[in-house]
Amino acid sequence: YAQTNRAISGWAQSPEGRSTRSLSVVIEHLATAEELGEALQTGNIQILNRARNALKTQFGYGGPPNFEFAKQIVADEIAKAVIGGVNAEQDRRGLQNQLTAASSPEQLKGVIKVAKELMAGQVVGLKHTYETATGLYNFDKWLTPRANEAIKTLMEERERKMQAGPHRQQPTAVTPTLNANDQKALEWAAANPSDPRAAAIKKRLGV
């Protein structure tokens, strides 16, 4: 029991533990912005009131919820998010460019979806690290409800893609571009299939 407590305490104070908490809050805030975007798009008063309450609780914002404020939420969260991986900075710039170009709640929701997927992917990696470091399988307690929901959605989508993998359409073969001499050689090979040199020519040309 004492050893378990030490493992949990060590995780909580580690960079990975801090990243987990940070990403969880970011995903929660993005979900709020997503809800606000939906409310602005549909005009649903119930969702709008729920979003207004969340804005006040999470951001201390009591003004009228609008599209520009929703965009600002997303911009702030993307700027401070811990987006890891080889293409981290490229991913961040890509999101920021998409956000700048977004001119409707529907487009904003698309940006938020991509951002949540990237961050949820990071949390999945941290989950594996946590379980290895502590031997525990209660990682979800470190996440907010909507962060847990985002992780679940991501894992379900990955599972669907894996199951659909064998049925995906095979890529169309690319016909190589041939110069005049190669084209003549290929025509000769086609006209003389029994000549041993024909097979060698076709192999060399990749056809």
Side-chain angles (χ1 to χ4, degrees):
Y1 183 76
Q3 185 176 359
T4 300
N5 281 343
R6 284 196 296 272
I8 294 174
S9 177
W11 168 265
Q13 298 172 27
S14 70
E16 291 84 0
R18 291 193 292 272
S19 292
T20 298
R21 291 191 294 274
S22 174
L23 285 165
S24 180
V25 171
V26 167
I27 292 172
E28 186 76 16
H29 288 176
L30 287 173
T32 296
E34 186 175 32
E35 192 170 64
L36 174 56
E38 181 182 349
L40 294 171
Q41 183 180 1
T42 62
N44 187 307
I45 299 300
Q46 185 177 2
I47 299 177
L48 190 60
N49 287 335
R50 188 163 64 237
R52 182 182 288 113
N53 291 335
L55 291 176
K56 187 172 184 180
T57 301
Q58 296 177 16
F59 304 98
Y61 178 77
N66 55 50
F67 178 67
E68 289 305 319
F69 186 73
K71 281 186 68 171
Q72 188 58 52
I73 292 174
V74 180
D76 291 345
E77 298 307 325
I78 290 174
K80 68 186 179 186
V82 184
I83 302 177
V86 177
N87 299 319
E89 190 56 36
Q90 181 179 340
D91 288 338
R92 194 190 305 274
R93 284 199 303 269
L95 283 170
Q96 289 170 336
N97 291 338
Q98 290 178 50
L99 180 61
T100 300
S103 58
S104 70
E106 184 177 4
Q107 291 175 340
L108 180 62
K109 285 176 67 177
V111 178
I112 292 172
K113 182 177 184 297
V114 174
K116 284 171 63 179
E117 287 175 352
L118 282 170
M119 294 172 202
Q122 292 298 304
V123 177
V124 169
L126 289 165
K127 176 177 183 291
H128 295 322
T129 304
Y130 171 81
E131 292 171 351
T132 302
T134 66
L136 300 174
Y137 297 90
N138 58 352
F139 182 77
D140 57 343
K141 78 172 190 175
W142 297 93
L143 306 176
T144 66
R146 289 197 283 193
N148 270 312
E149 183 181 340
I151 304 305
K152 181 181 178 181
T153 299
L154 179 68
M155 297 304 290
E156 288 174 349
E157 288 182 357
R158 286 182 177 180
E159 183 65 24
R160 282 195 295 270
K161 289 178 181 178
M162 288 178 63
Q163 292 177 354
H167 307 291
R168 286 179 294 185
Q169 184 178 358
Q170 294 299 315
T172 303
V174 178
T175 302
T177 302
L178 305 178
N179 59 37
N181 290 333
D182 287 342
Q183 185 63 45
K184 288 179 181 179
L186 182 60
E187 290 172 357
W188 180 90
N192 299 275
S194 59
D195 191 306
R197 291 172 294 177
I201 290 171
K202 290 181 177 182
K203 183 177 180 181
R204 179 176 65 81
L205 298 178
V207 297

